[in-house]
Amino acid sequence: MLRTLCVKNNTQSRTLHSLSYLTIIYVERETAYKNPEHDLALSHASHIRITNQDRSRMAFPKPTSRLAALAALAAAMAAAMMAATASAQNTPQDFVNLHNRARAADGVGPVAWDARVARYAQDYAAKRAGDCRLVHSGGPFGENIFWGSAGRAWSAADALRSWVDEKRNYHLSSNTCDPGKVCGHYTQVVWRRSTRIGCARVVCADNRGVFIVCSYDPPGNVNGQRPFLTLDAAAK
């Protein structure tokens, strides 16, 4: 489940998503005897001499404990891979590219990553890491926020998709949303004067999910203004 919230509009929109499941593949590495009668290879660099008499006294790990250790190792490796994948999908360039793709579709100029705006977004995301609440910071920038429930590595692409999908609720001619619908996330993403952005993503404590925030400078969704310059010109 995911939720999004836009600054200028306190209505929350919820969308159910099917969770994706990770298949963990357990890989067992077999350690073979160099010589069944004498030598056991311990590593690439060291060997130890074992006689048949010694071998009879050796306590080899039980299959159950060995499988448990392998399972724990595989789980740890899977978690590390998931973290690396999530990190790779949530870089500053990812956020910039996703914004600019949506803006280009509406004939709006690009945004650029701004270190000052990004610090603000990162600081606020850190504050929400303890509860994952969809609460706005109330700061000086425009702001879109997103929440996705635990069980999936929600990414920048998920947040931008949920915001830009509101385009269907927006009417160019009247510069309004459909009654009872939300479109303010979308208009903030494509707001022509919001040219500097900074975004952050955190995995919240106690399995509360993922929180993503994007801050915009100057802020969009200004009352009485339209997101597109062409619409403003046509309205004059």
Side-chain angles (χ1 to χ4, degrees), residues 182-196:
V182 177
C183 64
H185 304 94
Y186 159 68
T187 54
Q188 175 59 89
V189 168
V190 299
W191 198 265
R192 71 189 184 283
R193 291 191 176 123
S194 298
T195 56
R196 295 178 293 277

Side-chain angles (χ1 to χ4, degrees), residues 25-29 70 73-74:
I25 301 175
Y26 295 96
V27 180
E28 182 174 346
R29 176 177 293 177
L70 287 170
L73 177 61

Side-chain angles (χ1 to χ4, degrees), residues 28-141:
E28 182 174 346
R29 176 177 293 177
E30 301 255 345
T31 301
Y33 288 107
K34 281 188 64 185
N35 185 316
E37 295 296 324
H38 299 292
D39 295 328
L40 173 67
L42 295 183
S43 68
H44 293 296
S46 61
H47 296 79
I48 186 170
R49 173 75 65 179
I50 299 176
T51 66
N52 286 333
Q53 184 178 7
D54 292 331
R55 196 190 318 281
S56 65
R57 294 196 297 267
M58 289 182 65
F60 290 96
K62 295 181 180 180
T64 54
S65 61
R66 185 182 184 190
L67 288 175
L70 287 170
L73 177 61
M77 292 176 63
M81 287 188 292
M82 287 181 65
T85 301
S87 177
Q89 294 174 343
N90 299 287
T91 66
Q93 196 59 51
D94 289 324
F95 281 103
V96 168
N97 290 345
L98 289 163
H99 276 82
N100 286 340
R101 190 178 304 156
R103 291 168 72 91
D106 288 323
V108 182
V111 297
W113 191 261
D114 185 271
R116 179 176 63 97
V117 181
R119 278 194 301 272
Y120 182 87
Q122 290 159 3
D123 288 345
Y124 186 62
K127 292 179 181 178
R128 291 273 70 87
D131 55 27
C132 244
R133 291 178 60 203
L134 275 176
V135 178
H136 277 292
S137 66
F141 304 117

